[in-house]
Amino acid sequence: MGIIVVNTKAYWEGIGKNAVELAKIMEKIGREYGVEMAIAVQPCDVYRVANEVEIDVFSQHIDAIEYGSYTGWILPHAVKEAGARGTLINHSEHRIKVEDIFAAAKIAAEVGLKRVICASVVEVARAVACFMPEYVAIEPPELIGGDISVTKAKPEVVSESVEAVKKINEKVKVLCGAGIKSGEDVAKAIELGAEGILVASGVVKAKDKEKVLAEMAEAMVK
Ligand code: G3P
């Protein structure tokens, strides 16, 4: 079954009560179409959103730290305690060193958070697959937030990432993201071998979020 992960970033439409509202729409559409949904919110919104919905709530980031003197850092244990079931790691807009990707992925696994490790190019997708996350998300940075989907602009990046990741471990699922806006983009992602999508502006900034999500979910189960 495919998954739709919506990243609310720091968009006004995806913060606080707006994040809750969006998560509820995702939950409704997910149930209607039998599609797994996860919402990646600001760490400070995890608790609030997780209290309102059954779908998975992910943190947009965690730091590779344990309990201790780390003022202002995002503690994986705290995110888990707040109700998160997963986390993004190394998003293109919050890239970290390879040692920290490894350490964050390890701590996340220890505390029971699913991991979506983001990669900008095929080579990075292959490399982070070695950390055995649940998901690797391939997102060419230059297409993020734009109107042309990765599936149209760089379909080979998706299919090559799938091939590279699966060679490392069949169990690691590949998501693709950047510029995904429609059911057609989702259908193409699945055709290219992705097992889900990571999307932000196409949903979070859409006028009719329910309609776009329904279109995407429908394409996912076709
Ligand atoms: O995390 C998803 C994101 O980076 C893609 O953004 O706005 O192109 O869907 P967007």
Side-chain angles (χ1 to χ4, degrees):
M1 184 174 67
I3 183 169
I4 295 178
V5 183
V6 175
N7 176 7
T8 67
K9 301 199 174 183
Y11 290 131
W12 176 85
E13 295 86 344
I15 304 300
K17 62 176 180 355
N18 294 339
V20 173
E21 212 172 284
L22 173 56
K24 285 187 174 168
I25 297 172
M26 291 174 65
E27 182 163 64
K28 175 173 176 264
I29 299 297
R31 279 194 188 130
E32 262 172 50
Y33 289 88
V35 168
E36 195 179 347
M37 297 270 181
I39 185 165
V41 298
Q42 292 269 328
C44 52
D45 278 330
V46 165
Y47 185 75
R48 179 176 190 164
V49 179
N51 271 328
E52 298 278 345
V53 290
E54 300 277 313
I55 62 167
D56 283 358
V57 177
F58 290 0
S59 175
Q60 292 172 8
H61 176 77
I62 52 167
D63 288 305
I65 56 165
E66 298 281 356
Y67 290 111
S69 47
Y70 296 102
T71 307
W73 293 76
I74 310 290
L75 176 70
H77 308 70
V79 158
K80 171 75 180 176
E81 182 74 26
R85 297 204 190 110
T87 185
L88 304 185
I89 295 173
N90 194 46
H91 189 276
S92 208
E93 292 153 6
H94 201 146
R95 287 188 220 181
I96 55 178
K97 288 187 291 191
V98 70
E99 292 87 347
D100 293 333
I101 300 175
F102 173 67
K106 189 166 174 283
I107 299 169
E110 282 162 12
V111 302
L113 292 170
K114 296 175 200 166
R115 287 97 19 107
V116 180
I117 306 185
C118 300
S120 53
V121 290
V122 179
E123 289 73 12
V124 174
R126 179 186 294 118
V128 298
C130 296
F131 304 151
M132 306 302 176
E134 286 68 25
Y135 302 97
V136 168
I138 179 76
E139 296 197 320
E142 68 281 9
L143 298 171
I144 291 178
D147 284 325
I148 305 168
S149 161
V150 58
T151 56
K152 277 196 197 105
K154 293 197 163 172
E156 71 288 353
V157 170
V158 180
S159 51
E160 285 169 19
S161 295
V162 172
E163 204 189 325
V165 167
K166 295 293 177 183
K167 267 192 196 146
I168 303 287
N169 188 333
E170 271 289 321
K171 285 190 188 148
V172 179
K173 296 181 177 172
V174 178
L175 311 180
C176 68
I180 294 183
K181 295 276 182 298
S182 65
E184 190 192 332
D185 297 337
V186 173
K188 187 70 185 167
I190 302 301
E191 193 189 310
L192 293 167
E195 288 168 89
I197 57 156
L198 177 56
V199 59
S201 55
V203 169
V204 183
K205 297 194 78 75
K207 274 202 187 92
D208 192 339
K209 298 175 181 46
E210 188 166 335
K211 187 163 167 256
V212 176
L213 278 165
E215 197 190 296
M216 289 179 172
E218 192 179 359
M220 191 77 83
V221 290
K222 256 192 188 159

